[in-house]
Amino acid sequence: MVRAGRPTRSDALLAIAVSCLVAAAVVTDTGPISRSVLAYAFAAGFGALMLVSRRWPVSALAATAAGLVLYYLLDLPPIGVAVPVAAALYAAADHGRPFAAAGIAAVLLLVSVTARLAEGDDLTYVVGLALGSDAVLMLAVIALGDATRSRRALRAQMARQAAAAAEERRREAAREVDTERIRIARELHDTLGHTMSVITLQAAVAEEALDGGSVADVRGAVTTIGTAARSAMSELRATLGTWLGGPGTREPPPGLDRLRDLADGVIRSGLPVDLHLTGDVSAVPTVVGTTAYRVVQEALTNALRHADANRVTVSVRASATGLALEVADDGHGAPADQPAEHGHGLRGMTERIALLGGSVHVGNLEGGGFHVQAHLPVGRAAR
């Protein structure tokens, strides 16, 4: 591709070199001074054309070839054929026009051979040694210019590929950061949301117990608040430790083995929970068990906060192919004008299950209440 631009330092050096080479051939001429002066003018012109070869490579080459023909028509001192146009041929090939350069070179050689034969030069010498040496030199500089251009294009392509790869790595790192940020936000929402619901309800219980003078009830509420706070702090430290990558032991993520503790905490907050576990839940992969725990936790949190329910039923059934769970309460359900998936918690629940290839359904029950049904494929998660 032709690259237009102002002459560079290398163009100026090439122009000087061309002028000097032609002038060196002229300096040996013993003819009239006027003839030498005109030959030197041509030498300067050949060099000047190199200064515009970057902007107009083919035009500069054509002008050089035409100037060379005119030079010999004026019967000026011999300077050869290939040398004056070598730089112009190189420039044209270097700027992506090797075929144009080869065509002009072929025309120039044909004119030279025809002129020499017309002047009576020896056929063997003209067609053999002279033509061969000029053709080899011209082809060599064209090949060199095209090779230089190809290497430059290859380097540019490699640089673009490297830049694209770096940009893709940056985007991938940004996506990983966003994914981790969302995961941590979801963990904090699930952990702190449930704990704050328990603390809020127990604080209300403690306040009523103080008004009623029941020290035992106050102590029980405060104990539940402390237990919930310690559990939340433990999970919070584990989550932040994973994020920061700090040293120290980290508690394993909560799973199906902690559903009973979760249910007991809700029961202490005043909402009865019936928990039913069916099948070999110990064989469930950790990631599936943790996801199931978070789903149940979010469902119980919503029942505590919004449902005004009297009882919640949690059913978990493990099989060889998947884990099915359902959380249903007997509260007033979600408002009719509000989507069932409204809220960060339910959206996070749906995203968790979708990441494992599972399915989830949430909605109101006939006759009142709200339920969450989910299915998680055990085999896929295990792989």
Side-chain angles (χ1 to χ4, degrees):
M1 182 177 182
V2 177
R3 297 171 290 122
R6 300 179 62 182
T8 63
R9 181 179 299 179
S10 61
D11 295 332
L13 293 176
L14 187 60
I16 294 173
V18 169
S19 296
C20 290
L21 285 173
V22 176
V26 174
V27 75
T28 60
D29 182 53
T30 58
I33 296 179
S34 59
R35 174 179 166 176
S36 298
V37 170
L38 183 57
Y40 287 131
F42 269 91
F46 290 142
L49 286 172
M50 294 301 98
L51 298 177
V52 299
S53 62
R54 183 174 298 273
R55 184 181 295 271
W56 302 293
V58 177
S59 298
L61 173 59
T64 300
L68 186 60
V69 172
L70 178 60
Y71 181 93
Y72 280 107
L73 288 176
L74 295 175
D75 194 26
L76 296 176
I79 56 174
V81 175
V83 174
V85 297
L89 289 171
Y90 173 86
D94 181 48
H95 289 75
R97 305 300 296 273
F99 295 108
I104 293 176
V107 171
L108 188 59
L109 288 174
L110 179 61
V111 171
S112 174
V113 169
T114 302
R116 287 186 178 187
L117 292 177
E119 291 177 355
D121 289 352
D122 181 65
L123 176 63
T124 304
Y125 172 78
V126 172
V127 178
L129 181 61
L131 178 61
S133 60
D134 288 343
V136 168
L137 179 57
M138 288 182 175
L139 289 176
V141 295
I142 292 174
L144 179 61
D146 189 57
T148 302
R149 179 194 59 81
S150 298
R151 287 196 299 271
R152 185 172 58 249
L154 180 60
R155 287 195 299 268
Q157 181 181 2
M158 294 177 63
R160 289 193 298 270
Q161 291 176 347
E167 177 65 16
E168 181 59 28
R169 288 193 296 270
R170 187 194 65 79
R171 292 179 180 177
E172 181 62 26
R175 285 193 293 267
E176 291 178 358
V177 170
D178 287 341
T179 300
E180 184 66 7
R181 177 181 57 81
I182 293 173
R183 185 192 69 80
I184 292 172
R186 188 184 295 128
E187 291 288 336
L188 294 178
H189 173 274
D190 293 345
T191 300
L192 298 182
H194 177 78
T195 301
M196 293 308 297
S197 296
V198 171
I199 290 175
T200 299
L201 289 174
Q202 291 298 324
V205 170
E207 185 177 3
E208 292 179 1
L210 285 173
D211 293 339
S214 176
V215 177
D217 290 342
V218 173
R219 183 176 288 109
V222 172
T223 299
T224 301
I225 290 174
T227 301
R230 286 190 295 273
S231 177
M233 284 300 300
S234 178
E235 290 196 36
L236 181 60
R237 282 194 297 268
T239 300
L240 294 180
T242 301
W243 183 22
L244 299 175
T249 59
R250 299 171 186 164
E251 293 188 5
L256 296 177
D257 57 329
R258 292 177 57 180
L259 283 181
R260 174 55 61 188
D261 295 336
L262 180 64
D264 290 343
V266 175
I267 292 172
R268 287 193 297 269
S269 298
L271 179 60
V273 178
D274 295 327
L275 177 63
H276 305 283
L277 299 177
T278 306
D280 185 11
V281 295
S282 62
V284 174
T286 301
V287 64
V288 176
T290 300
T291 300
Y293 178 92
R294 292 304 187 193
V295 170
V296 173
Q297 184 183 52
E298 179 60 27
L300 292 177
T301 300
N302 288 338
L304 279 172
R305 284 180 174 177
H306 313 297
D308 193 22
N310 296 314
R311 182 169 293 275
V312 180
T313 301
V314 179
S315 300
V316 179
R317 184 174 66 257
S319 65
T321 58
L323 184 72
L325 59 90
E326 180 178 8
V327 181
D329 63 63
D330 59 358
H332 52 63
D337 59 346
Q338 177 177 295
E341 294 81 3
H342 178 75
H344 295 291
L346 291 178
R347 283 200 301 270
M349 177 194 303
T350 303
E351 292 171 359
R352 285 178 183 273
I353 295 173
L355 286 175
L356 298 181
S359 60
V360 61
H361 174 73
V362 298
N364 292 332
L365 294 169
E366 293 184 5
F370 191 82
H371 78 141
V372 175
Q373 289 181 318
H375 180 270
L376 296 169
V378 171
R380 176 176 176 178
R383 290 194 297 270

